[in-house]
């Protein structure tokens, strides 16, 4: 159900993401990586092998200017990684900057 998916995303954002980013804002020695383990397509109503969204917070580069967050944004986003380990390697390099 699309309504359940929207409510779940809103709950995660309010109950998990917001408190985590607020805690990170209080400290200067933490960088946070938030990522899904798989893409779940609303249009296809099943899991897909498409790239998954991720965010590094706080970002050294700043926000990428996205005004919407949807499946098309993830497919056309600026950074893609072939595997989870490639993402982690990039994150660990980023975190040393």
């Amino acid at each position: 159900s699309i309504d359940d998916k929207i409510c779940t995303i809103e709950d995660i954002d309010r109950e998990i993401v917001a408190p985590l980013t607020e805690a990170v804002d209080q400290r200067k020695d933490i960088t946070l990586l938030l990522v899904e383990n798989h893409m779940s397509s609303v249009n296809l109503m099943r899991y897909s092998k498409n790239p998954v969204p991720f965010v590094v917070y706080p970002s050294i580069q700043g926000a990428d200017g996205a005004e919407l967050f949807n499946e098309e944004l993830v497919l056309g986003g600026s950074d893609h990684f072939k595997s989870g380990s490639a993402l982690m390697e990039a994150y660990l390099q980023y975190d040393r900057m």
Side-chain angles (χ1 to χ4, degrees):
S1 154
I2 186 67
D3 292 335
D4 288 344
K5 185 168 186 170
I6 291 169
C7 284
T8 299
I9 292 169
E10 290 173 343
D11 288 347
I12 291 169
D13 195 32
R14 181 181 58 256
E15 301 295 328
I16 298 171
V17 176
L20 283 173
T21 56
E22 288 170 13
V24 169
D25 284 342
Q26 301 299 317
R27 300 185 53 164
K28 302 297 181 205
D29 60 339
I30 297 175
T31 304
L32 185 65
L33 172 65
L34 298 172
V35 64
E36 297 181 38
N37 65 343
H38 63 270
M39 178 59 87
S40 179
S41 172
V42 172
N43 296 331
L44 300 174
M45 296 195 60
R46 63 181 170 87
Y47 298 138
S48 73
K49 293 187 179 199
N50 289 340
V52 296
F54 69 92
V55 64
V56 176
Y57 186 84
S59 173
I60 292 171
Q61 298 173 352
D64 66 5
E67 294 182 20
L68 296 174
F69 185 79
N70 56 32
E71 293 170 3
E72 289 79 27
L73 173 70
V74 174
L75 292 173
S78 59
D79 288 321
H80 293 278
F81 296 93
K82 292 185 187 277
S83 67
S85 59
L87 172 59
M88 286 303 301
E89 184 176 330
Y91 170 72
L92 292 172
Q93 292 298 317
Y94 171 92
D95 196 35
R96 293 181 191 157
M97 298 174 123

